[in-house]
Amino acid sequence: MLPFRTLISIDKSAEASIYLQLAEQLRRLIGDGILKTGQKLPGTRQLAELLQLHRKTIIAAYDELLAEGWLESRAGSGTFVADPLPLVRPQTLGKEIDGQRTHREPGFPFESKPHLVRPLLLMGEGLRLDDGFPDIRLAPMEELARAYRSYFRWGNPQQHFGYGDPKGNRLLREELSVFLNETRALRTTADNILISRGSMMGIHLASTLLLKPGQTAVVGETNWSGANMNFQQAGAELLTVPVDQHGLDVEALAELCQRRPVRLVYVTPHHHYPTTVTLPPDRRLRLLQLSQQHGFVILEDDYDYEFHYLRRPVLPLASADPNGMVIYIGSLSKSVAPAFRIGYVVASETVIDELARLRRIIDRQGDAMLEFAIGQLFRNGDMRRHLKKAHQTYLSRCNYFCSLLTSALAGSLQFVKPDGGLAVWAKFDPQIELAQLAQKAKVEGLTFSDGLAHNPPGKALNSTRLGFASSTETELEQSVAILRKLVKG
Amino acid sequence: MLPFRTLISIDKSAEASIYLQLAEQLRRLIGDGILKTGQKLPGTRQLAELLQLHRKTIIAAYDELLAEGWLESRAGSGTFVADPLPLVRPQTLGKEIDGQRTHREPGFPFESKPHLVRPLLLMGEGLRLDDGFPDIRLAPMEELARAYRSYFRWGNPQQHFGYGDPKGNRLLREELSVFLNETRALRTTADNILISRGSMMGIHLASTLLLKPGQTAVVGETNWSGANMNFQQAGAELLTVPVDQHGLDVEALAELCQRRPVRLVYVTPHHHYPTTVTLPPDRRLRLLQLSQQHGFVILEDDYDYEFHYLRRPVLPLASADPNGMVIYIGSLSKSVAPAFRIGYVVASETVIDELARLRRIIDRQGDAMLEFAIGQLFRNGDMRRHLKKAHQTYLSRCNYFCSLLTSALAGSLQFVKPDGGLAVWAKFDPQIELAQLAQKAKVEGLTFSDGLAHNPPGKALNSTRLGFASSTETELEQSVAILRKLVKG
């Protein structure tokens, strides 16, 4: 028998009843594996004697543990440590389904939304000319890992692993405010900023707040489907205006506003998705003026502002918006790595407050650890150093990739060298069927999108985005060589 | 002058034009800080001679870099490294707002939803009897930190820091499937599971999918506001049925279903929020039968299943649902730490597929790193060990806290010792004004909720949840001592 007299010590002066103390200590002995599953406990009389306690106290403790499922009583042979432990011994309902897996179809009807159906292009191993993703090999992983380590070890865990502010980590919001004011001439404080999960969540929250069924949202043709889907999901009617080599055709928008009320205009001024062109200052000012005149909200998605190569970036519309008509959205996912879902929304305080209330019923709050880590990287300068390095690398890859396309694929595709961003918008020769080409390339070890998702209804652009940023120059050479082989034969 | 002949090397056989090679190498010299801001470059004739290149090549490279903003030309004195670098030198719109911060109010109207307004009780330093949060000091932080480290160092970063499956990390979904089948007698595969950001996102996604404006959602009175807010946000009419000492009154629900169509019934069977009672097997079966009969969906939020103390847990409704009427929701946030927003939804495959499409336009995907880390903890047994330890600790804290409440506060509050969960539902004596008590306690260093949020319209329950799990026994003693002092004087 175990040395219970040594293992168990009862404090008779303690506030907790003696039988509860005993039950607790027996529970610990079971939990620590000292009393093992199936092991027999001493009889109540025997244990009472050993511990110099009343037998009634022992019985009360055993009863407690029997009720809780730690012990089990076998008729005529005594009390045993129950097997298995309570965690894995549930009461059944008597009607469990046996031997078959959950059905594929539910027992109730539900409406599947066609506007949400969109293929998911996952990048596998091998070469890739993606949608315009960053090179994760450049990401400041060491610095992030260090910041994560310090978060795990730092301060009062009850506080920083508990529930936090739905608007996001304060340090990051303050650092971001400084960064945005400095690089984009915004005039924010931390109270104007909500940290979202990527720019997608910013668009989702703004759509939910702003759009009611039947209202009009205007986007460029063609536009990013992630934004379109959100506007449609909110019930808005989606209208388009043309996009030319300078981006959104603001005069077409002006005409549209004459004909019907517009609630929201979505714009990716720097650089238009998918065609990569930059909206110039005069169009930006005109857009702001139209917004004033017609009362529509501008949802400015400046996901690519960090990456501009030719001349200088153009300041956001939000920097010249004295009346608060712009909701400004940005992302750090492209600056670090897509897996780090960090974006931000900049708006008037009351708008941020309401967006935070909406976000609270979606995911309660952001990723406390990641937000803290990125906040640290901004504070100690690592983020600025990383952005500068990434900028230079992508610029040189952009130049190199464009020169490769020109020399190796002239005649098979047309493109305008982008002012910035992480991808080239390439229009393939009508002789080349892009869907087929993408399939053949996949077999050769190169993944890229067939661009079908960019086609407006009834039009075939035969164009796609070829992202250069995530590939080294050698990988770009290999990718272009595969394309050349398939196209030129 | 710098030794340009050593620093720059041109490969005349390379595919890329010589001027682009030169531009690229100059960019790198600037980026690496070898060519410094404000530094003068050699004249084109001089550099051409040094590098044995055409002067036209040098001019083309300089022009490229001038256009990109890396260099600047000063009339009559030459070409210099531009200051500052392109990243921080944007083109202005000529109308930037100066000297004032972003406005508090936007320039457009928006509707603030009253149902979303709910106070945020953030736990500060000091003692706490919270809503029923886990003790973060027990969380497997070392194990998690180790799993994080391995994620940072492991395999192909392009893949695991890139975009992933909106349904969540495959490893975690597979491990969770095994865990759920084992502990809850479900019959899932990984395809029946979507990893969400806490149970909140599961409820949000299900509400969005299932509820149309005007449809009826039924909840217990009183119920968790996080769920109520989601049903209201989806436009549903919220009806209540009473909750007694066995949970949802299913016969009242049966009557309600006679009178009007019901689309969704929300239930927290294990244990009802906020009153902590357990829905017994007979009511569960009746609820399933009603769901069959009337065609409503059961949204089963089993957030507390892991923590049951008295006898044994009751299997979920989802374990006895042959026709797929149940959407089952669970959370790992309470098993690890609230900051780790991890929950899951279990349903038929087609439902999971549609929920994943909805989730894709909200936050694109979950936290790849965290999902991987938790998946690892399941695989190597750390999670089961942690859950067992947490279970035992909370059980003993529950016992201790209830005995303290009984001995120190008898007459001032009533409660039924909960079968499980992390909090006690306490009804205070009508003489005691709970709001005032909570304020006074705050001054004494103890935070707890005044319970006002649990009051149904027009009723004052004078009740609140006192969470015991996040406090040690000593902290529980100190907390109860403060309550005793304030109540008994």
Side-chain angles (χ1 to χ4, degrees):
Chain A
M1 193 172 59
L2 287 171
F4 284 102
R5 215 188 315 207
T6 323
L7 290 171
I8 289 174
S9 82
I10 300 292
D11 175 3
K12 294 192 180 176
S13 70
E15 203 158 355
S17 317
I18 291 174
Y19 88 93
L20 285 179
Q21 289 183 52
L22 176 58
E24 171 54 21
Q25 298 205 24
L26 287 171
R27 250 185 242 111
R28 286 206 179 132
L29 292 178
I30 298 172
D32 294 347
I34 295 167
L35 274 169
K36 291 184 174 46
T37 289
Q39 191 167 342
K40 188 178 177 181
L41 269 76
T44 50
R45 214 173 261 117
Q46 194 183 5
L47 191 59
E49 203 163 288
L50 268 171
L51 301 178
Q52 298 284 304
L53 296 172
H54 250 287
R55 191 183 158 214
K56 276 187 186 168
T57 307
I58 310 294
I59 292 174
Y62 278 19
D63 280 351
E64 178 77 22
L65 295 175
L66 284 162
E68 288 168 8
W70 293 89
L71 301 182
E72 57 189 14
S73 183
R74 296 187 199 150
S77 62
T79 307
F80 297 79
V81 177
D83 168 33
L85 288 166
L87 193 60
V88 284
R89 199 171 183 182
Q91 287 178 63
T92 67
L93 304 190
K95 286 204 175 183
E96 290 73 24
I97 325 158
D98 254 334
Q100 62 170 44
R101 32 167 302 199
T102 301
H103 287 260
R104 187 171 154 75
E105 297 293 338
F108 50 85
F110 68 91
E111 193 189 341
S112 180
K113 298 280 176 75
H115 63 250
L116 295 180
V117 178
R118 192 175 54 133
L120 188 66
L121 183 70
L122 291 178
M123 292 288 152
E125 297 283 345
L127 297 166
R128 46 167 65 196
L129 294 170
D130 53 37
D131 194 54
F133 301 154
D135 189 339
I136 292 150
R137 294 166 292 192
L138 300 180
M141 289 303 175
E142 272 308 314
E143 294 81 352
L144 269 174
R146 206 182 306 131
Y148 267 84
R149 276 199 296 279
S150 79
Y151 195 78
F152 271 108
R153 282 173 194 162
W154 157 69
N156 174 4
Q158 295 278 41
Q159 241 171 342
H160 67 273
F161 284 107
Y163 288 106
D165 188 337
K167 287 179 201 168
N169 177 287
R170 187 84 200 174
L171 167 70
L172 177 57
R173 288 163 67 212
E174 280 167 3
E175 287 294 323
L176 208 48
S177 169
V178 171
F179 178 74
L180 294 176
N181 296 353
E182 208 177 281
T183 57
R184 288 153 169 83
L186 302 185
R187 288 288 174 276
T188 62
T189 70
D191 293 329
N192 297 115
I193 296 176
L194 175 138
I195 307 296
S196 61
R197 308 248 192 206
S199 53
M200 185 70 100
M201 183 181 272
I203 293 169
H204 182 75
L205 292 173
S207 308
T208 307
L209 176 66
L210 296 172
L211 294 170
K212 286 187 186 159
Q215 287 187 327
T216 299
V218 178
V219 302
E221 176 175 312
T222 173
N223 187 45
W224 182 44
S225 59
N228 287 358
M229 291 192 289
N230 265 303
F231 306 144
Q232 288 173 294
Q233 181 65 18
E237 192 175 344
L238 204 60
L239 295 187
T240 59
V241 292
V243 171
D244 62 19
Q245 73 273 29
H246 300 299
L248 223 55
D249 180 342
V250 286
E251 294 315 321
L253 175 65
E255 274 170 44
L256 195 156
C257 288
Q258 298 293 347
R259 296 197 307 272
R260 56 187 296 164
V262 169
R263 171 61 168 163
L264 179 145
V265 174
Y266 173 76
V267 59
T268 49
H270 220 309
H271 310 87
H272 185 78
Y273 186 96
T275 66
T276 80
V277 297
T278 304
L279 196 72
D282 58 332
R283 289 204 186 179
R284 295 182 186 222
L285 289 174
R286 175 72 167 136
L287 190 52
L288 281 165
Q289 183 254 314
L290 288 172
S291 150
Q292 271 301 309
Q293 186 182 341
H294 298 284
F296 61 75
V297 182
I298 298 171
L299 187 56
E300 179 176 25
D301 182 356
D302 218 10
Y303 69 102
D304 241 0
Y305 182 88
E306 248 66 67
F307 304 110
H308 39 77
Y309 311 129
L310 192 61
R311 295 186 211 94
R312 303 204 161 93
V314 186
L315 282 181
L317 285 83
S319 74
D321 168 38
N323 303 301
M325 299 305 288
V326 177
I327 294 183
Y328 183 79
I329 282 173
S331 173
L332 296 172
S333 299
K334 293 221 190 263
S335 304
V336 185
F340 297 110
R341 307 299 305 145
I342 284 227
Y344 49 86
V345 184
V346 179
S348 315
E349 257 176 80
T350 54
V351 171
I352 292 295
D353 289 348
E354 185 72 10
L355 293 176
R357 283 190 283 270
L358 278 168
R359 132 23 95 77
R360 195 171 166 204
I361 69 164
I362 295 177
D363 66 344
R364 178 58 183 75
Q365 66 185 60
D367 183 333
M369 235 185 325
L370 177 59
E371 292 178 4
F372 167 84
I374 303 267
Q376 285 286 42
L377 263 55
F378 269 109
R379 178 147 292 179
N380 67 22
D382 281 340
M383 186 58 89
R384 279 177 179 75
R385 273 189 289 279
H386 163 66
L387 285 174
K388 193 189 273 185
K389 187 181 77 179
H391 182 272
Q392 284 163 225
T393 306
Y394 297 157
L395 163 56
S396 104
R397 289 180 183 175
C398 179
N399 288 331
Y400 192 63
F401 184 56
C402 290
S403 72
L404 286 176
L405 287 183
T406 307
S407 56
L409 289 162
S412 303
L413 56 77
Q414 293 179 305
F415 68 97
V416 175
K417 188 174 167 183
D419 292 356
L422 311 182
V424 164
W425 176 245
K427 185 172 176 55
F428 281 75
D429 184 88
Q431 304 292 321
I432 298 167
E433 212 190 310
L434 201 36
Q436 228 176 38
L437 183 65
Q439 272 178 12
K440 285 189 193 159
K442 185 96 191 170
V443 177
E444 302 282 329
L446 166 65
T447 312
F448 70 97
S449 159
D450 60 17
L452 294 182
H454 303 306
N455 288 340
K459 292 188 197 170
L461 302 177
N462 211 35
S463 300
T464 195
R465 282 168 68 88
L466 300 175
F468 51 79
S470 59
S471 302
T472 62
E473 301 195 349
T474 309
E475 287 162 348
L476 290 172
E477 283 166 17
Q478 292 165 341
S479 298
V480 172
I482 290 175
L483 283 180
R484 185 191 167 92
K485 183 182 130 194
L486 293 173
V487 163
K488 307 270 183 184
Chain B
M1 197 172 59
L2 287 171
F4 284 100
R5 214 187 314 202
T6 324
L7 291 169
I8 289 173
S9 84
I10 301 291
D11 176 3
K12 293 192 181 176
S13 71
E15 202 157 356
S17 316
I18 292 175
Y19 87 94
L20 284 179
Q21 290 184 51
L22 175 57
E24 172 52 21
Q25 299 207 26
L26 287 171
R27 252 185 241 111
R28 287 208 177 128
L29 292 177
I30 298 172
D32 294 346
I34 295 167
L35 273 169
K36 290 182 174 47
T37 289
Q39 190 167 338
K40 187 176 176 179
L41 268 75
T44 49
R45 214 171 262 117
Q46 194 182 3
L47 192 57
E49 201 162 291
L50 269 170
L51 302 178
Q52 299 283 305
L53 296 171
H54 252 286
R55 189 182 160 213
K56 274 188 187 165
T57 307
I58 311 290
I59 292 173
Y62 278 18
D63 279 350
E64 179 79 19
L65 295 174
L66 283 163
E68 289 168 6
W70 293 89
L71 302 181
E72 57 189 15
S73 183
R74 296 186 200 149
S77 60
T79 306
F80 296 80
V81 178
D83 169 33
L85 288 166
L87 194 59
V88 286
R89 199 172 184 182
Q91 286 178 65
T92 68
L93 304 190
K95 285 204 174 181
E96 289 73 23
I97 325 158
D98 254 334
Q100 65 172 35
R101 34 168 299 201
T102 301
H103 287 261
R104 188 171 154 74
E105 298 291 339
F108 50 84
F110 68 91
E111 192 189 343
S112 181
K113 297 282 176 73
H115 63 250
L116 295 180
V117 178
R118 192 176 55 135
L120 189 66
L121 183 69
L122 291 178
M123 294 287 151
E125 296 282 345
L127 298 165
R128 47 167 65 193
L129 294 169
D130 53 37
D131 195 54
F133 301 153
D135 190 339
I136 293 150
R137 293 166 293 192
L138 301 180
M141 289 304 176
E142 273 308 314
E143 293 82 352
L144 269 174
R146 204 182 309 130
Y148 267 83
R149 276 198 298 281
S150 80
Y151 195 79
F152 271 107
R153 281 173 196 161
W154 158 67
N156 173 3
Q158 295 277 42
Q159 239 170 343
H160 66 272
F161 285 106
Y163 288 107
D165 188 338
K167 289 179 198 168
N169 176 287
R170 188 83 200 177
L171 168 70
L172 177 57
R173 288 164 67 212
E174 280 167 3
E175 288 293 324
L176 209 48
S177 169
V178 171
F179 178 75
L180 294 175
N181 296 354
E182 206 177 282
T183 58
R184 288 154 169 83
L186 302 185
R187 287 288 174 277
T188 62
T189 70
D191 292 328
N192 297 116
I193 296 176
L194 175 140
I195 308 295
S196 60
R197 309 247 191 207
S199 53
M200 184 70 101
M201 183 181 272
I203 294 170
H204 182 77
L205 292 172
S207 309
T208 307
L209 175 67
L210 296 172
L211 295 170
K212 285 187 186 159
Q215 287 187 325
T216 299
V218 178
V219 301
E221 176 174 310
T222 175
N223 187 46
W224 180 45
S225 59
N228 287 357
M229 291 191 290
N230 265 304
F231 306 145
Q232 289 173 293
Q233 180 66 19
E237 192 176 345
L238 204 61
L239 295 186
T240 59
V241 293
V243 171
D244 62 21
Q245 73 272 30
H246 300 299
L248 222 56
D249 181 342
V250 284
E251 294 315 319
L253 174 65
E255 276 171 44
L256 196 155
C257 289
Q258 297 294 348
R259 296 196 309 271
R260 58 186 294 166
V262 168
R263 171 62 168 163
L264 179 147
V265 174
Y266 173 76
V267 59
T268 49
H270 222 307
H271 310 86
H272 185 79
Y273 186 98
T275 67
T276 78
V277 298
T278 304
L279 196 72
D282 58 332
R283 288 205 186 179
R284 294 183 188 221
L285 289 174
R286 175 73 168 134
L287 191 51
L288 281 165
Q289 183 254 314
L290 288 172
S291 148
Q292 273 300 311
Q293 187 182 340
H294 298 285
F296 59 74
V297 183
I298 298 171
L299 187 56
E300 179 176 25
D301 181 356
D302 219 11
Y303 69 101
D304 241 0
Y305 182 88
E306 248 65 68
F307 304 111
H308 40 76
Y309 310 130
L310 191 64
R311 298 184 210 96
R312 301 203 164 93
V314 186
L315 282 181
L317 285 83
S319 73
D321 169 37
N323 303 301
M325 298 305 287
V326 177
I327 294 183
Y328 183 79
I329 282 173
S331 173
L332 296 172
S333 298
K334 293 220 191 268
S335 305
V336 185
F340 296 110
R341 309 297 304 144
I342 284 228
Y344 48 87
V345 185
V346 178
S348 316
E349 259 177 76
T350 54
V351 171
I352 292 295
D353 288 349
E354 184 72 11
L355 293 176
R357 284 191 281 269
L358 277 168
R359 123 45 84 77
R360 195 171 167 204
I361 68 163
I362 295 177
D363 67 343
R364 180 58 185 74
Q365 67 185 61
D367 183 332
M369 233 184 326
L370 177 59
E371 292 177 4
F372 167 84
I374 304 267
Q376 284 286 43
L377 264 56
F378 268 108
R379 178 148 291 181
N380 66 22
D382 281 340
M383 185 58 90
R384 279 176 178 76
R385 273 188 288 279
H386 164 66
L387 285 174
K388 193 190 272 188
K389 187 181 75 177
H391 182 272
Q392 287 164 220
T393 307
Y394 297 157
L395 163 57
S396 103
R397 288 179 185 176
C398 179
N399 287 330
Y400 192 65
F401 184 56
C402 289
S403 71
L404 286 175
L405 287 182
T406 305
S407 56
L409 289 162
S412 302
L413 56 77
Q414 294 179 305
F415 70 95
V416 174
K417 190 174 165 183
D419 294 355
L422 310 183
V424 164
W425 175 246
K427 184 172 175 57
F428 281 74
D429 185 88
Q431 303 292 320
I432 298 166
E433 214 192 306
L434 201 40
Q436 227 177 39
L437 183 66
Q439 272 178 14
K440 283 188 193 159
K442 185 97 191 169
V443 177
E444 302 282 330
L446 166 65
T447 312
F448 70 97
S449 159
D450 60 18
L452 295 181
H454 303 307
N455 288 339
K459 291 188 197 169
L461 302 176
N462 211 39
S463 300
T464 194
R465 281 169 69 88
L466 301 175
F468 52 77
S470 59
S471 302
T472 62
E473 301 196 349
T474 310
E475 288 162 349
L476 290 172
E477 284 167 18
Q478 292 165 343
S479 297
V480 172
I482 290 173
L483 283 180
R484 184 190 169 93
K485 183 181 130 194
L486 293 173
V487 164
K488 307 268 183 182

